[in-house]
Amino acid sequence: MASPTRILWIAILASFVSFLDGTIVNVALPAIDRELGGGLSTQQWVVDGYLITLGALMLLAGSVSDAFGRALVLRIGLVGFGIASVAIALAPDPLILIIARLVQGAAGAFLVPSSLALITSAFSGAARAKAIGTWTSFTTGAMVVGPLIGGVLVDLASWRFAFLINVIPIAVTLWLVRRVKDPERRPDARIDIIGALMCTLGLGGIVYALIEEPRFGW
């Protein structure tokens, strides 16, 4: 059985990569455009595609976590995020890059609610409030240091390393989470697939209209 301290670090590391990739990409956009092309619309999709699937699927991820287990969903999210990060780093053209970013955002949506659920199940009372505060400070820190880490990697190596670096914390988290056991599945847990699709299409449609209007018109 994993200790509460171990659970906290699992939650921090799992969420860290999700929040990190929300900001690390910003400083890599000029280098991506120089190497792959695609212009402004590609840069917008690289940023917004990740945020669309991340935001639209987060509520769905919470219900999936309740239904199938927090640790299991966390593992799936970590593996998906890692595979998507490698695909981004190896992307040969803008289309592959954007698709991989969409997948990365979807995987990231499974990390955040599962991480917080693990904390609430392992801590109680004042210890829970302290653990959530620690988790929040680290995830907020990831958003702050993202541009700094991205800038260093872009200047010293390549924009591709700004995404490939995710493999390290993901591997560590997968190693830590191997001892975490999920409780029995809740029989009353429901997954709102239709709601998730509507959220994704609704957000995606609005963003598509705003980004592609210069090319296709209203």
Side-chain angles (χ1 to χ4, degrees), residues 134-199:
T134 304
W135 175 81
T136 303
S137 65
F138 273 94
T139 53
T140 303
M143 298 175 65
V144 174
V145 302
L148 176 62
I149 295 174
V152 171
L153 291 174
V154 170
D155 287 343
L156 299 182
S158 167
W159 65 266
R160 298 179 185 273
F161 285 96
F163 300 97
L164 203 58
I165 196 175
N166 293 330
V167 174
I168 298 173
I170 287 173
V172 172
T173 311
L174 284 170
W175 180 78
L176 289 173
V177 79
R178 74 192 192 282
R179 293 184 182 178
V180 178
K181 303 297 182 183
D182 281 317
E184 292 186 7
R185 178 179 174 181
R186 283 178 46 190
D188 60 336
R190 294 178 62 253
I191 301 173
D192 186 8
I193 301 293
I194 295 178
L197 290 174
M198 291 178 66
C199 283

CSV table of all heavy atoms in Angstrom, one decimal, residues 134-199:
chain,number,residue,atom,x,y,z
A,134,THR,N,-0.2,22.1,-1.3
A,134,THR,CA,1.1,21.7,-1.8
A,134,THR,C,1.0,21.3,-3.3
A,134,THR,O,1.8,21.8,-4.1
A,134,THR,CB,1.7,20.5,-1.0
A,134,THR,OG1,1.8,20.9,0.3
A,134,THR,CG2,3.1,20.2,-1.6
A,135,TRP,N,0.0,20.5,-3.6
A,135,TRP,CA,-0.3,20.1,-5.0
A,135,TRP,C,-0.5,21.4,-5.9
A,135,TRP,O,0.0,21.5,-7.0
A,135,TRP,CB,-1.5,19.2,-5.0
A,135,TRP,CG,-1.9,18.8,-6.4
A,135,TRP,CD1,-1.4,17.8,-7.2
A,135,TRP,CD2,-3.0,19.3,-7.1
A,135,TRP,NE1,-2.1,17.7,-8.3
A,135,TRP,CE2,-3.1,18.6,-8.3
A,135,TRP,CE3,-4.0,20.3,-6.9
A,135,TRP,CZ2,-4.1,18.9,-9.3
A,135,TRP,CZ3,-4.9,20.6,-7.8
A,135,TRP,CH2,-5.0,19.9,-9.0
A,136,THR,N,-1.3,22.3,-5.4
A,136,THR,CA,-1.6,23.5,-6.1
A,136,THR,C,-0.4,24.4,-6.4
A,136,THR,O,-0.2,24.9,-7.5
A,136,THR,CB,-2.7,24.3,-5.4
A,136,THR,OG1,-3.9,23.5,-5.2
A,136,THR,CG2,-3.1,25.6,-6.2
A,137,SER,N,0.4,24.5,-5.4
A,137,SER,CA,1.6,25.3,-5.5
A,137,SER,C,2.6,24.7,-6.6
A,137,SER,O,3.2,25.5,-7.4
A,137,SER,CB,2.4,25.5,-4.2
A,137,SER,OG,2.8,24.2,-3.7
A,138,PHE,N,2.7,23.4,-6.6
A,138,PHE,CA,3.6,22.8,-7.6
A,138,PHE,C,3.0,22.9,-9.0
A,138,PHE,O,3.8,23.2,-10.0
A,138,PHE,CB,3.9,21.3,-7.2
A,138,PHE,CG,5.0,21.1,-6.3
A,138,PHE,CD1,4.8,21.1,-4.9
A,138,PHE,CD2,6.3,21.0,-6.7
A,138,PHE,CE1,5.9,20.9,-4.0
A,138,PHE,CE2,7.4,20.9,-5.9
A,138,PHE,CZ,7.2,20.8,-4.5
A,139,THR,N,1.7,22.7,-9.1
A,139,THR,CA,1.1,22.7,-10.5
A,139,THR,C,1.2,24.2,-11.0
A,139,THR,O,1.4,24.4,-12.2
A,139,THR,CB,-0.3,22.2,-10.5
A,139,THR,OG1,-1.0,22.9,-9.4
A,139,THR,CG2,-0.3,20.7,-10.2
A,140,THR,N,0.9,25.1,-10.1
A,140,THR,CA,1.0,26.5,-10.5
A,140,THR,C,2.5,26.9,-10.9
A,140,THR,O,2.7,27.6,-11.9
A,140,THR,CB,0.6,27.5,-9.4
A,140,THR,OG1,-0.8,27.1,-9.0
A,140,THR,CG2,0.6,28.9,-9.8
A,141,GLY,N,3.4,26.3,-10.2
A,141,GLY,CA,4.8,26.5,-10.5
A,141,GLY,C,5.2,26.0,-11.9
A,141,GLY,O,6.0,26.5,-12.6
A,142,ALA,N,4.5,24.9,-12.2
A,142,ALA,CA,4.8,24.3,-13.6
A,142,ALA,C,4.4,25.3,-14.7
A,142,ALA,O,5.2,25.4,-15.7
A,142,ALA,CB,4.0,23.0,-13.7
A,143,MET,N,3.3,26.0,-14.5
A,143,MET,CA,2.9,27.0,-15.5
A,143,MET,C,3.9,28.1,-15.6
A,143,MET,O,4.1,28.7,-16.6
A,143,MET,CB,1.5,27.5,-15.2
A,143,MET,CG,0.5,26.4,-15.2
A,143,MET,SD,-1.2,27.0,-14.7
A,143,MET,CE,-1.5,28.1,-16.0
A,144,VAL,N,4.5,28.5,-14.4
A,144,VAL,CA,5.4,29.6,-14.4
A,144,VAL,C,6.8,29.2,-15.0
A,144,VAL,O,7.4,30.0,-15.8
A,144,VAL,CB,5.6,30.1,-12.9
A,144,VAL,CG1,6.7,31.1,-12.8
A,144,VAL,CG2,4.3,30.6,-12.3
A,145,VAL,N,7.3,28.0,-14.7
A,145,VAL,CA,8.6,27.7,-15.2
A,145,VAL,C,8.6,27.1,-16.6
A,145,VAL,O,9.6,26.9,-17.2
A,145,VAL,CB,9.3,26.6,-14.2
A,145,VAL,CG1,9.4,27.2,-12.8
A,145,VAL,CG2,8.5,25.3,-14.2
A,146,GLY,N,7.4,26.8,-17.1
A,146,GLY,CA,7.3,26.3,-18.5
A,146,GLY,C,8.0,27.1,-19.5
A,146,GLY,O,8.8,26.6,-20.3
A,147,PRO,N,7.7,28.4,-19.6
A,147,PRO,CA,8.4,29.2,-20.6
A,147,PRO,C,9.9,29.3,-20.4
A,147,PRO,O,10.7,29.3,-21.4
A,147,PRO,CB,7.8,30.6,-20.4
A,147,PRO,CG,6.4,30.3,-19.9
A,147,PRO,CD,6.6,29.2,-19.0
A,148,LEU,N,10.3,29.3,-19.2
A,148,LEU,CA,11.8,29.3,-18.9
A,148,LEU,C,12.5,28.0,-19.4
A,148,LEU,O,13.5,28.0,-20.1
A,148,LEU,CB,12.0,29.5,-17.4
A,148,LEU,CG,13.5,29.4,-16.9
A,148,LEU,CD1,14.3,30.5,-17.5
A,148,LEU,CD2,13.5,29.5,-15.4
A,149,ILE,N,11.9,26.8,-19.0
A,149,ILE,CA,12.4,25.6,-19.5
A,149,ILE,C,12.4,25.5,-21.0
A,149,ILE,O,13.4,25.1,-21.6
A,149,ILE,CB,11.7,24.4,-18.8
A,149,ILE,CG1,11.8,24.4,-17.3
A,149,ILE,CG2,12.1,23.1,-19.4
A,149,ILE,CD1,11.0,23.4,-16.6
A,150,GLY,N,11.3,25.9,-21.6
A,150,GLY,CA,11.1,25.8,-23.0
A,150,GLY,C,12.2,26.7,-23.7
A,150,GLY,O,12.8,26.3,-24.7
A,151,GLY,N,12.4,27.9,-23.2
A,151,GLY,CA,13.3,28.8,-23.8
A,151,GLY,C,14.7,28.3,-23.7
A,151,GLY,O,15.5,28.4,-24.7
A,152,VAL,N,15.1,27.7,-22.6
A,152,VAL,CA,16.5,27.1,-22.5
A,152,VAL,C,16.7,26.0,-23.5
A,152,VAL,O,17.7,25.9,-24.2
A,152,VAL,CB,16.7,26.6,-21.1
A,152,VAL,CG1,18.0,25.8,-21.0
A,152,VAL,CG2,16.8,27.8,-20.1
A,153,LEU,N,15.7,25.1,-23.6
A,153,LEU,CA,15.8,23.9,-24.5
A,153,LEU,C,15.8,24.4,-26.0
A,153,LEU,O,16.5,23.8,-26.8
A,153,LEU,CB,14.6,23.0,-24.3
A,153,LEU,CG,14.7,22.2,-22.9
A,153,LEU,CD1,13.4,21.4,-22.7
A,153,LEU,CD2,15.9,21.3,-22.8
A,154,VAL,N,14.9,25.4,-26.3
A,154,VAL,CA,14.9,25.8,-27.7
A,154,VAL,C,16.2,26.5,-28.1
A,154,VAL,O,16.8,26.3,-29.2
A,154,VAL,CB,13.7,26.8,-27.9
A,154,VAL,CG1,13.8,27.5,-29.2
A,154,VAL,CG2,12.4,26.1,-27.8
A,155,ASP,N,16.8,27.3,-27.2
A,155,ASP,CA,18.1,28.0,-27.5
A,155,ASP,C,19.3,27.0,-27.5
A,155,ASP,O,20.1,27.2,-28.4
A,155,ASP,CB,18.3,29.1,-26.4
A,155,ASP,CG,17.4,30.3,-26.6
A,155,ASP,OD1,16.8,30.4,-27.7
A,155,ASP,OD2,17.3,31.1,-25.6
A,156,LEU,N,19.3,26.1,-26.6
A,156,LEU,CA,20.5,25.2,-26.5
A,156,LEU,C,20.4,23.9,-27.3
A,156,LEU,O,21.4,23.3,-27.7
A,156,LEU,CB,20.7,24.8,-25.0
A,156,LEU,CG,21.0,26.0,-24.1
A,156,LEU,CD1,21.3,25.5,-22.7
A,156,LEU,CD2,22.2,26.9,-24.6
A,157,ALA,N,19.2,23.5,-27.7
A,157,ALA,CA,19.0,22.2,-28.4
A,157,ALA,C,18.0,22.4,-29.5
A,157,ALA,O,18.3,22.9,-30.6
A,157,ALA,CB,18.6,21.1,-27.4
A,158,SER,N,16.8,22.0,-29.3
A,158,SER,CA,15.7,22.1,-30.3
A,158,SER,C,14.4,22.2,-29.6
A,158,SER,O,14.2,21.8,-28.4
A,158,SER,CB,15.7,20.8,-31.2
A,158,SER,OG,14.6,20.7,-31.9
A,159,TRP,N,13.4,22.7,-30.3
A,159,TRP,CA,12.0,22.8,-29.7
A,159,TRP,C,11.5,21.5,-29.4
A,159,TRP,O,10.6,21.3,-28.6
A,159,TRP,CB,11.1,23.6,-30.7
A,159,TRP,CG,10.8,22.9,-32.0
A,159,TRP,CD1,11.5,23.1,-33.2
A,159,TRP,CD2,9.8,21.9,-32.3
A,159,TRP,NE1,11.0,22.3,-34.2
A,159,TRP,CE2,10.0,21.5,-33.6
A,159,TRP,CE3,8.9,21.3,-31.5
A,159,TRP,CZ2,9.2,20.6,-34.3
A,159,TRP,CZ3,8.0,20.3,-32.1
A,159,TRP,CH2,8.2,20.0,-33.5
A,160,ARG,N,12.0,20.4,-30.1
A,160,ARG,CA,11.5,19.1,-29.9
A,160,ARG,C,11.8,18.6,-28.5
A,160,ARG,O,11.0,17.8,-27.9
A,160,ARG,CB,12.0,18.2,-31.0
A,160,ARG,CG,11.6,18.6,-32.4
A,160,ARG,CD,12.2,17.6,-33.5
A,160,ARG,NE,12.0,18.1,-34.8
A,160,ARG,CZ,10.9,17.8,-35.5
A,160,ARG,NH1,10.0,17.0,-35.0
A,160,ARG,NH2,10.7,18.3,-36.7
A,161,PHE,N,12.9,19.0,-27.9
A,161,PHE,CA,13.2,18.6,-26.6
A,161,PHE,C,12.3,19.2,-25.5
A,161,PHE,O,12.2,18.7,-24.4
A,161,PHE,CB,14.7,19.0,-26.3
A,161,PHE,CG,15.7,18.1,-27.0
A,161,PHE,CD1,16.2,18.4,-28.2
A,161,PHE,CD2,16.0,16.9,-26.4
A,161,PHE,CE1,17.1,17.6,-28.8
A,161,PHE,CE2,16.9,16.0,-27.0
A,161,PHE,CZ,17.5,16.4,-28.2
A,162,ALA,N,11.6,20.3,-25.9
A,162,ALA,CA,10.7,20.9,-24.9
A,162,ALA,C,9.5,19.9,-24.6
A,162,ALA,O,8.8,20.1,-23.6
A,162,ALA,CB,10.2,22.2,-25.5
A,163,PHE,N,9.2,19.0,-25.6
A,163,PHE,CA,8.1,18.1,-25.4
A,163,PHE,C,8.7,16.7,-25.0
A,163,PHE,O,8.1,16.0,-24.2
A,163,PHE,CB,7.3,17.9,-26.7
A,163,PHE,CG,6.7,19.2,-27.1
A,163,PHE,CD1,7.2,20.0,-28.0
A,163,PHE,CD2,5.5,19.6,-26.5
A,163,PHE,CE1,6.7,21.2,-28.4
A,163,PHE,CE2,4.9,20.8,-26.9
A,163,PHE,CZ,5.5,21.6,-27.8
A,164,LEU,N,9.9,16.4,-25.5
A,164,LEU,CA,10.5,15.1,-25.2
A,164,LEU,C,10.9,15.0,-23.7
A,164,LEU,O,10.9,13.9,-23.1
A,164,LEU,CB,11.7,14.9,-26.0
A,164,LEU,CG,12.2,13.4,-26.2
A,164,LEU,CD1,11.1,12.6,-26.9
A,164,LEU,CD2,13.4,13.4,-27.1
A,165,ILE,N,11.1,16.1,-23.0
A,165,ILE,CA,11.5,16.1,-21.6
A,165,ILE,C,10.4,15.6,-20.7
A,165,ILE,O,10.6,15.1,-19.6
A,165,ILE,CB,11.8,17.6,-21.2
A,165,ILE,CG1,12.6,17.6,-19.9
A,165,ILE,CG2,10.6,18.5,-21.1
A,165,ILE,CD1,13.1,18.9,-19.4
A,166,ASN,N,9.1,15.5,-21.2
A,166,ASN,CA,8.0,15.0,-20.4
A,166,ASN,C,8.2,13.5,-20.1
A,166,ASN,O,7.7,13.0,-19.1
A,166,ASN,CB,6.7,15.1,-21.2
A,166,ASN,CG,6.3,16.5,-21.4
A,166,ASN,OD1,6.5,17.4,-20.6
A,166,ASN,ND2,5.6,16.8,-22.5
A,167,VAL,N,9.0,12.8,-20.9
A,167,VAL,CA,9.2,11.4,-20.7
A,167,VAL,C,9.8,11.1,-19.3
A,167,VAL,O,9.5,10.1,-18.7
A,167,VAL,CB,10.1,10.8,-21.8
A,167,VAL,CG1,10.4,9.3,-21.5
A,167,VAL,CG2,9.4,10.9,-23.2
A,168,ILE,N,10.7,12.0,-18.8
A,168,ILE,CA,11.4,11.7,-17.6
A,168,ILE,C,10.4,11.7,-16.4
A,168,ILE,O,10.3,10.7,-15.6
A,168,ILE,CB,12.5,12.7,-17.3
A,168,ILE,CG1,13.5,12.6,-18.5
A,168,ILE,CG2,13.1,12.5,-16.0
A,168,ILE,CD1,14.6,13.7,-18.4
A,169,PRO,N,9.6,12.8,-16.1
A,169,PRO,CA,8.7,12.8,-15.0
A,169,PRO,C,7.6,11.7,-15.2
A,169,PRO,O,7.1,11.1,-14.2
A,169,PRO,CB,8.1,14.2,-14.9
A,169,PRO,CG,8.3,14.7,-16.3
A,169,PRO,CD,9.6,14.1,-16.8
A,170,ILE,N,7.2,11.4,-16.4
A,170,ILE,CA,6.2,10.4,-16.6
A,170,ILE,C,6.7,9.0,-16.2
A,170,ILE,O,6.0,8.2,-15.6
A,170,ILE,CB,5.7,10.4,-18.1
A,170,ILE,CG1,4.9,11.6,-18.4
A,170,ILE,CG2,5.0,9.1,-18.5
A,170,ILE,CD1,4.5,11.8,-19.8
A,171,ALA,N,7.9,8.7,-16.6
A,171,ALA,CA,8.5,7.4,-16.2
A,171,ALA,C,8.6,7.3,-14.7
A,171,ALA,O,8.3,6.2,-14.1
A,171,ALA,CB,9.9,7.3,-16.9
A,172,VAL,N,9.0,8.4,-14.0
A,172,VAL,CA,9.2,8.3,-12.6
A,172,VAL,C,7.8,8.1,-11.9
A,172,VAL,O,7.6,7.3,-11.0
A,172,VAL,CB,9.8,9.7,-12.1
A,172,VAL,CG1,9.7,9.7,-10.5
A,172,VAL,CG2,11.2,9.8,-12.6
A,173,THR,N,6.8,8.8,-12.5
A,173,THR,CA,5.4,8.7,-11.9
A,173,THR,C,4.9,7.3,-12.1
A,173,THR,O,4.2,6.7,-11.2
A,173,THR,CB,4.5,9.7,-12.5
A,173,THR,OG1,5.1,11.0,-12.5
A,173,THR,CG2,3.2,9.8,-11.8
A,174,LEU,N,5.1,6.7,-13.3
A,174,LEU,CA,4.6,5.3,-13.5
A,174,LEU,C,5.3,4.3,-12.6
A,174,LEU,O,4.7,3.4,-12.1
A,174,LEU,CB,4.9,4.9,-15.0
A,174,LEU,CG,4.0,5.5,-16.0
A,174,LEU,CD1,4.5,5.2,-17.4
A,174,LEU,CD2,2.5,5.0,-15.9
A,175,TRP,N,6.5,4.6,-12.3
A,175,TRP,CA,7.2,3.7,-11.3
A,175,TRP,C,6.7,3.9,-9.9
A,175,TRP,O,6.5,2.9,-9.2
A,175,TRP,CB,8.7,4.0,-11.3
A,175,TRP,CG,9.5,3.2,-10.4
A,175,TRP,CD1,9.9,1.9,-10.6
A,175,TRP,CD2,10.0,3.6,-9.1
A,175,TRP,NE1,10.6,1.5,-9.5
A,175,TRP,CE2,10.7,2.5,-8.5
A,175,TRP,CE3,9.9,4.7,-8.3
A,175,TRP,CZ2,11.3,2.5,-7.3
A,175,TRP,CZ3,10.5,4.8,-7.1
A,175,TRP,CH2,11.2,3.7,-6.6
A,176,LEU,N,6.3,5.1,-9.5
A,176,LEU,CA,5.8,5.3,-8.2
A,176,LEU,C,4.4,4.8,-8.0
A,176,LEU,O,4.0,4.3,-7.0
A,176,LEU,CB,5.8,6.9,-7.9
A,176,LEU,CG,7.1,7.5,-7.7
A,176,LEU,CD1,7.0,9.0,-7.6
A,176,LEU,CD2,7.8,7.0,-6.4
A,177,VAL,N,3.6,4.9,-9.1
A,177,VAL,CA,2.2,4.5,-9.0
A,177,VAL,C,1.9,3.0,-9.1
A,177,VAL,O,0.8,2.6,-8.9
A,177,VAL,CB,1.4,5.3,-10.1
A,177,VAL,CG1,1.5,4.5,-11.4
A,177,VAL,CG2,-0.1,5.4,-9.7
A,178,ARG,N,2.9,2.2,-9.3
A,178,ARG,CA,2.7,0.8,-9.5
A,178,ARG,C,2.2,0.1,-8.2
A,178,ARG,O,1.6,-0.9,-8.3
A,178,ARG,CB,4.1,0.1,-9.9
A,178,ARG,CG,5.1,0.0,-8.8
A,178,ARG,CD,6.5,-0.4,-9.3
A,178,ARG,NE,7.4,-0.7,-8.3
A,178,ARG,CZ,8.0,0.1,-7.5
A,178,ARG,NH1,7.8,1.4,-7.7
A,178,ARG,NH2,8.8,-0.3,-6.6
A,179,ARG,N,2.4,0.7,-7.0
A,179,ARG,CA,2.0,0.1,-5.8
A,179,ARG,C,0.6,0.7,-5.3
A,179,ARG,O,0.1,0.2,-4.3
A,179,ARG,CB,3.0,0.4,-4.7
A,179,ARG,CG,4.3,-0.4,-4.9
A,179,ARG,CD,5.2,-0.2,-3.7
A,179,ARG,NE,6.5,-0.8,-3.9
A,179,ARG,CZ,7.5,-0.7,-3.0
A,179,ARG,NH1,7.4,0.0,-1.9
A,179,ARG,NH2,8.7,-1.3,-3.2
A,180,VAL,N,0.1,1.6,-6.0
A,180,VAL,CA,-1.2,2.2,-5.6
A,180,VAL,C,-2.4,1.3,-6.1
A,180,VAL,O,-2.5,0.9,-7.2
A,180,VAL,CB,-1.4,3.6,-6.2
A,180,VAL,CG1,-2.7,4.2,-5.8
A,180,VAL,CG2,-0.3,4.5,-5.8
A,181,LYS,N,-3.2,0.9,-5.1
A,181,LYS,CA,-4.3,0.0,-5.4
A,181,LYS,C,-5.6,0.8,-5.4
A,181,LYS,O,-5.9,1.6,-4.5
A,181,LYS,CB,-4.4,-1.1,-4.3
A,181,LYS,CG,-3.1,-1.9,-4.2
A,181,LYS,CD,-2.8,-2.7,-5.5
A,181,LYS,CE,-1.6,-3.5,-5.3
A,181,LYS,NZ,-1.2,-4.2,-6.6
A,182,ASP,N,-6.5,0.5,-6.4
A,182,ASP,CA,-7.8,1.2,-6.5
A,182,ASP,C,-8.8,0.5,-5.6
A,182,ASP,O,-8.8,-0.7,-5.5
A,182,ASP,CB,-8.3,1.2,-7.9
A,182,ASP,CG,-7.6,2.3,-8.7
A,182,ASP,OD1,-7.4,3.4,-8.2
A,182,ASP,OD2,-7.2,2.0,-9.9
A,183,PRO,N,-9.7,1.2,-5.0
A,183,PRO,CA,-10.9,0.6,-4.3
A,183,PRO,C,-11.8,-0.1,-5.3
A,183,PRO,O,-11.6,0.1,-6.6
A,183,PRO,CB,-11.6,1.8,-3.6
A,183,PRO,CG,-11.2,3.0,-4.5
A,183,PRO,CD,-9.8,2.7,-5.0
A,184,GLU,N,-12.7,-0.8,-4.8
A,184,GLU,CA,-13.7,-1.5,-5.7
A,184,GLU,C,-14.5,-0.5,-6.6
A,184,GLU,O,-14.8,0.6,-6.1
A,184,GLU,CB,-14.6,-2.4,-4.9
A,184,GLU,CG,-14.0,-3.6,-4.3
A,184,GLU,CD,-15.0,-4.5,-3.6
A,184,GLU,OE1,-16.2,-4.2,-3.8
A,184,GLU,OE2,-14.6,-5.4,-2.9
A,185,ARG,N,-14.8,-0.9,-7.8
A,185,ARG,CA,-15.5,0.0,-8.7
A,185,ARG,C,-16.9,0.4,-8.1
A,185,ARG,O,-17.6,-0.5,-7.6
A,185,ARG,CB,-15.7,-0.6,-10.0
A,185,ARG,CG,-16.4,0.2,-11.0
A,185,ARG,CD,-16.5,-0.5,-12.4
A,185,ARG,NE,-17.4,0.2,-13.3
A,185,ARG,CZ,-17.7,-0.2,-14.5
A,185,ARG,NH1,-17.2,-1.3,-15.0
A,185,ARG,NH2,-18.4,0.6,-15.3
A,186,ARG,N,-17.3,1.6,-8.2
A,186,ARG,CA,-18.6,2.1,-7.8
A,186,ARG,C,-19.6,1.6,-8.8
A,186,ARG,O,-19.6,1.9,-10.0
A,186,ARG,CB,-18.6,3.6,-7.7
A,186,ARG,CG,-17.9,4.2,-6.5
A,186,ARG,CD,-18.0,5.7,-6.5
A,186,ARG,NE,-19.3,6.2,-6.8
A,186,ARG,CZ,-19.6,7.5,-7.1
A,186,ARG,NH1,-18.6,8.4,-7.1
A,186,ARG,NH2,-20.8,7.9,-7.4
A,187,PRO,N,-20.6,0.9,-8.3
A,187,PRO,CA,-21.7,0.3,-9.2
A,187,PRO,C,-22.6,1.4,-9.8
A,187,PRO,O,-23.2,1.2,-10.9
A,187,PRO,CB,-22.5,-0.6,-8.4
A,187,PRO,CG,-22.3,-0.1,-7.0
A,187,PRO,CD,-20.9,0.4,-6.9
A,188,ASP,N,-22.7,2.6,-9.1
A,188,ASP,CA,-23.6,3.6,-9.6
A,188,ASP,C,-22.9,4.7,-10.4
A,188,ASP,O,-23.5,5.7,-10.9
A,188,ASP,CB,-24.2,4.3,-8.4
A,188,ASP,CG,-23.2,5.0,-7.5
A,188,ASP,OD1,-22.1,4.5,-7.4
A,188,ASP,OD2,-23.6,5.9,-6.7
A,189,ALA,N,-21.6,4.5,-10.7
A,189,ALA,CA,-20.8,5.5,-11.5
A,189,ALA,C,-21.2,5.5,-12.9
A,189,ALA,O,-21.4,4.4,-13.5
A,189,ALA,CB,-19.3,5.2,-11.4
A,190,ARG,N,-21.5,6.6,-13.5
A,190,ARG,CA,-21.9,6.8,-14.9
A,190,ARG,C,-20.9,7.6,-15.7
A,190,ARG,O,-20.3,8.5,-15.1
A,190,ARG,CB,-23.3,7.4,-15.0
A,190,ARG,CG,-24.4,6.5,-14.4
A,190,ARG,CD,-25.8,7.2,-14.4
A,190,ARG,NE,-26.2,7.5,-15.8
A,190,ARG,CZ,-26.2,8.7,-16.4
A,190,ARG,NH1,-25.8,9.7,-15.7
A,190,ARG,NH2,-26.6,8.8,-17.6
A,191,ILE,N,-20.8,7.3,-17.0
A,191,ILE,CA,-19.9,8.1,-17.8
A,191,ILE,C,-20.8,8.8,-18.9
A,191,ILE,O,-21.5,8.1,-19.7
A,191,ILE,CB,-18.9,7.2,-18.5
A,191,ILE,CG1,-18.0,6.5,-17.4
A,191,ILE,CG2,-18.0,8.0,-19.4
A,191,ILE,CD1,-17.1,5.4,-18.0
A,192,ASP,N,-20.7,10.1,-18.9
A,192,ASP,CA,-21.5,10.9,-19.9
A,192,ASP,C,-20.7,11.1,-21.2
A,192,ASP,O,-20.1,12.1,-21.4
A,192,ASP,CB,-21.9,12.2,-19.2
A,192,ASP,CG,-22.8,13.0,-20.1
A,192,ASP,OD1,-23.3,12.5,-21.1
A,192,ASP,OD2,-23.1,14.2,-19.7
A,193,ILE,N,-20.8,10.1,-22.0
A,193,ILE,CA,-20.1,10.1,-23.3
A,193,ILE,C,-20.6,11.2,-24.2
A,193,ILE,O,-19.9,12.0,-24.8
A,193,ILE,CB,-20.1,8.8,-24.0
A,193,ILE,CG1,-19.5,7.7,-23.2
A,193,ILE,CG2,-19.4,8.9,-25.4
A,193,ILE,CD1,-18.1,7.8,-23.0
A,194,ILE,N,-22.0,11.3,-24.3
A,194,ILE,CA,-22.6,12.3,-25.1
A,194,ILE,C,-22.2,13.7,-24.7
A,194,ILE,O,-21.9,14.6,-25.5
A,194,ILE,CB,-24.1,12.2,-25.1
A,194,ILE,CG1,-24.5,10.8,-25.7
A,194,ILE,CG2,-24.8,13.3,-25.9
A,194,ILE,CD1,-26.0,10.5,-25.7
A,195,GLY,N,-22.2,14.0,-23.4
A,195,GLY,CA,-21.8,15.3,-22.8
A,195,GLY,C,-20.4,15.6,-23.2
A,195,GLY,O,-20.1,16.8,-23.5
A,196,ALA,N,-19.5,14.6,-23.1
A,196,ALA,CA,-18.1,14.9,-23.4
A,196,ALA,C,-17.9,15.2,-24.9
A,196,ALA,O,-17.2,16.2,-25.3
A,196,ALA,CB,-17.3,13.6,-23.1
A,197,LEU,N,-18.7,14.5,-25.8
A,197,LEU,CA,-18.6,14.9,-27.2
A,197,LEU,C,-19.2,16.2,-27.5
A,197,LEU,O,-18.6,17.0,-28.3
A,197,LEU,CB,-19.4,13.8,-28.0
A,197,LEU,CG,-18.8,12.4,-28.1
A,197,LEU,CD1,-19.7,11.4,-28.7
A,197,LEU,CD2,-17.4,12.4,-28.8
A,198,MET,N,-20.2,16.6,-26.8
A,198,MET,CA,-20.8,17.9,-27.0
A,198,MET,C,-19.9,19.0,-26.6
A,198,MET,O,-19.8,20.1,-27.2
A,198,MET,CB,-22.2,18.0,-26.3
A,198,MET,CG,-23.3,17.2,-26.9
A,198,MET,SD,-24.8,17.2,-26.0
A,198,MET,CE,-25.3,18.9,-26.3
A,199,CYS,N,-19.2,18.8,-25.4
A,199,CYS,CA,-18.3,19.8,-24.9
A,199,CYS,C,-17.1,20.0,-25.9
A,199,CYS,O,-16.7,21.1,-26.2
A,199,CYS,CB,-17.7,19.4,-23.6
A,199,CYS,SG,-18.8,19.6,-22.2
